[in-house]
Amino acid sequence: MDQLDWHMARAALQWQAELGVSDAVGDTPIDRYEVPAQNSKPSTAAAAPTEAPQAAMAAAPAVDPVAVAEEAAATAGDLPALKLALQNFSHCDLRRGARNLVFGGGRAGARVMILEDAPGRAEDLQGLPFAGPAGQLLGKMCAAIGLDRAEEVYAASVIPWRPPQDREASAAEIAMMQPFLRRHIILAAPQVVICMGNISCQAVLGKRGLSKLRGAWQEGFALPVLPMVHPQGLLRQPNRKKQAWQDLLMLKGWLRAQSEGGKT
């Protein structure tokens, strides 16, 4: 590098002083924007730790929660075994935020099985489906058509754990719970299933849209299915009680016809 004359050196120093430079930290300038040179070929010892985890990840097969659920549900020979299988099922994150597993309530083997979508606060606290004010209303609805809820109805929840902030269950959550639900219905052995909500309709019928589905008999899992409004919905929208009463009369007529057919 050419030597600076006195005037150029003084101008350079004055320029640096105006920029705020007060101390010299070295005899040679340092370019702090220069990218440090790197070896183009990393050593084998340095590459090994990163390659090993990648190889392990590639070797580990992905777990299919639905397949695990189907296997666990199929091995359950009765309702207590199915409940235990659900308690041991670790692939549904909903269980982490719930207080209790909401499995079933009422008399197993009853002719009528009623399904709700997912537990709410009251169900989560008690560990039973259709608890709290909605459960009390359901009891009155059953009594209105001559059904004893405790003895002639078995209730269950499609999603057995309360979703956070009572959000709607996702498609993945419904899919992984469906094998347990199918096995639950088989072991409970009802004659008719009542789906109270869109999620239960989706899980049993493969379709949703409760406003269009209710008022007509459907079929799911080789059983007659009647979609109905959940009692909690009736508490929020009392004007829908007329629809619920119409559906209850349909259920009553069906049960009477089955009883009369069995007598003959």
Side-chain angles (χ1 to χ4, degrees):
M1 181 176 178
D2 296 336
Q3 293 291 333
L4 295 175
D5 61 23
W6 183 86
H7 296 286
M8 292 181 65
R10 185 176 184 278
L13 287 173
Q14 185 177 2
W15 175 71
Q16 293 184 50
E18 291 176 354
L19 291 177
V21 177
S22 57
D23 299 299
V25 295
D27 295 333
T28 58
I30 299 175
D31 186 355
R32 301 188 183 276
Y33 294 97
E34 180 182 3
V35 178
Q38 297 180 349
N39 294 329
S40 58
K41 295 182 179 181
S43 64
T44 305
T50 57
E51 291 175 356
Q54 292 176 355
M57 290 174 62
V63 176
D64 182 0
V66 177
V68 175
E70 289 176 347
E71 182 177 356
T75 57
D78 53 27
L79 290 176
L82 183 64
K83 182 177 181 179
L84 181 61
L86 265 171
Q87 290 172 334
N88 294 332
F89 185 74
S90 60
H91 299 282
C92 185
D93 291 339
L94 293 177
R95 59 182 295 151
R96 299 179 182 178
R99 289 176 177 266
N100 289 297
L101 169 74
V102 179
F103 183 70
R107 187 177 68 82
R111 291 196 295 168
V112 179
M113 184 173 185
I114 302 180
L115 299 175
E116 67 175 352
D117 291 351
R121 182 177 182 274
E123 290 80 10
D124 186 34
L125 290 173
Q126 298 184 30
L128 293 171
F130 295 100
Q136 296 172 7
L137 178 56
L138 177 62
K140 294 178 180 178
M141 292 167 65
C142 292
I145 59 171
L147 278 178
D148 185 337
R149 181 187 167 187
E151 295 295 329
E152 299 180 278
V153 173
Y154 181 74
S157 185
V158 173
I159 305 297
W161 294 285
R162 182 189 183 187
Q165 300 178 347
D166 293 325
R167 66 163 173 79
E168 188 174 276
S170 67
E173 291 162 348
I174 297 171
M176 70 176 73
M177 290 297 104
Q178 192 177 44
F180 292 108
L181 174 64
R182 184 185 297 109
R183 188 64 176 163
H184 202 157
I185 293 175
I186 291 173
L187 294 174
Q191 294 180 6
V192 62
V193 175
I194 309 300
C195 288
M196 289 188 163
N198 270 317
I199 300 302
S200 57
C201 287
Q202 181 174 338
V204 176
L205 303 174
K207 52 188 175 181
R208 54 195 305 162
L210 188 61
S211 297
K212 295 180 179 180
L213 291 174
R214 63 145 301 274
W217 285 99
Q218 311 285 332
E219 182 177 342
F221 298 154
L223 288 171
V225 177
L226 185 61
M228 288 184 61
V229 178
H230 192 284
Q232 189 64 49
L234 298 178
L235 292 174
R236 290 193 299 262
Q237 298 177 297
N239 60 311
R240 303 192 70 178
K241 288 184 178 181
K242 181 178 179 180
Q243 295 178 345
W245 178 240
Q246 293 171 348
D247 296 335
L248 286 170
L249 291 178
M250 290 179 61
L251 175 60
K252 181 180 180 179
W254 187 92
L255 292 172
R256 183 190 297 117
Q258 295 301 308
S259 298
E260 293 174 353
K263 292 177 181 178
T264 58

